Amino acid sequence: MYYTSKIEDTVRIPPHRFDEPVEEVAIEELNDAYVGKIDKKMGLMVTVKDIEDLGVGRVIMGDGAAYHTVTFNALFFKPELHEVIDGEVIEIAEFGAFVRIGPMDGLVHVSQVTDDYITYDGKRGALLGKESKKTLEEGNKVRARVVALSLKGRSSKEIKIGLTMRQPGLGRFEWIEKEKRKKKK
């Protein structure tokens, strides 16, 4: 889920950038400082959308940079427990599939792919259902539910997101469509 939040802070404008538009420099500096960082309540900061208020700059002795009090709007991404999300399989491993969901990655463990017995085909880089003949490969679009979530840490690499595709209406998009057609008949 994406959220916007209003944040107040101080931004440092380096002296070598004084000749550039202050608001543009402030957005760049804020993005450099915050994008990719985790806030436990808001999630992963994706970008600074805009600046609402940029105060008068103050120079601190011995630094030379201008410090501005700023109020800005930021975009955050935070998956919620039990949220249904769409994503793309970016990697297949023996133990499951990594799925890109927005700016983060989650893991669908082999036990959570389908109700079928799953085997790993290393040559194809695919997970295969024994009886159903369902396959899951890199590049497949999937729908999954968030079943485990840990936002501990300071960056997106330290986040743990557990996903399942075993419930009705979840799985590879082709599987979902096939089930819909089956129910119509």
Side-chain angles (χ1 to χ4, degrees):
M1 178 88 50
Y2 287 92
Y3 299 97
T4 57
S5 181
K6 188 180 296 191
I7 300 172
E8 291 182 22
D9 199 0
T10 301
V11 64
R12 179 185 185 271
I13 307 295
H16 69 275
R17 299 195 71 184
F18 283 171
D19 61 335
E20 299 175 46
V22 180
E23 195 166 306
E24 288 177 22
V25 175
I27 288 175
E28 284 180 35
E29 293 294 323
L30 290 166
N31 275 322
D32 287 346
Y34 288 112
V35 169
K37 301 287 192 272
I38 300 291
D39 178 271
K40 285 183 174 42
K41 290 181 183 172
M42 294 303 297
L44 176 78
M45 185 164 169
V46 178
T47 191
V48 173
K49 289 178 55 182
D50 58 26
I51 291 180
E52 283 190 9
D53 184 42
L54 186 63
V56 177
R58 295 180 314 278
V59 177
I60 297 176
M61 204 147 98
D63 186 350
Y67 290 83
H68 296 262
T69 301
V70 64
T71 302
F72 63 95
N73 293 305
L75 180 67
F76 288 87
F77 178 77
K78 182 182 180 192
E80 300 290 341
L81 204 55
H82 308 297
E83 178 180 4
V84 174
I85 48 90
D86 292 344
E88 180 179 350
V89 177
I90 57 166
E91 185 182 344
I92 299 287
E94 229 176 301
F95 52 86
F98 290 95
V99 177
R100 170 98 4 107
I101 51 172
M104 298 179 181
D105 299 336
L107 173 68
V108 180
H109 189 268
V110 287
S111 66
Q112 297 299 310
V113 174
T114 68
D115 290 333
D116 198 358
Y117 180 78
I118 299 291
T119 58
Y120 173 69
D121 182 347
K123 285 184 180 177
R124 275 178 64 187
L127 297 175
L128 311 169
K130 187 175 182 178
E131 292 176 22
S132 65
K133 304 294 183 215
K134 291 179 179 178
T135 63
L136 190 62
E137 300 173 277
E138 209 172 290
N140 290 155
K141 305 285 189 216
V142 297
R143 180 165 291 144
R145 181 179 306 278
V146 178
V147 292
L149 182 63
S150 173
L151 292 179
K152 294 178 182 162
R154 312 272 305 142
S155 73
S156 62
K157 296 190 184 335
E158 299 172 51
I159 292 173
K160 305 266 190 270
I161 303 171
L163 305 170
T164 186
M165 298 190 318
R166 287 182 64 169
Q167 299 165 348
L170 302 179
R172 190 172 152 186
F173 285 174
E174 289 82 358
W175 305 344
I176 297 168
E177 284 302 313
K178 194 174 181 181
E179 285 298 317
K180 283 182 186 176
R181 286 193 300 271
K182 220 189 257 186
K183 284 183 181 179
K184 284 184 180 179
K185 290 180 180 181

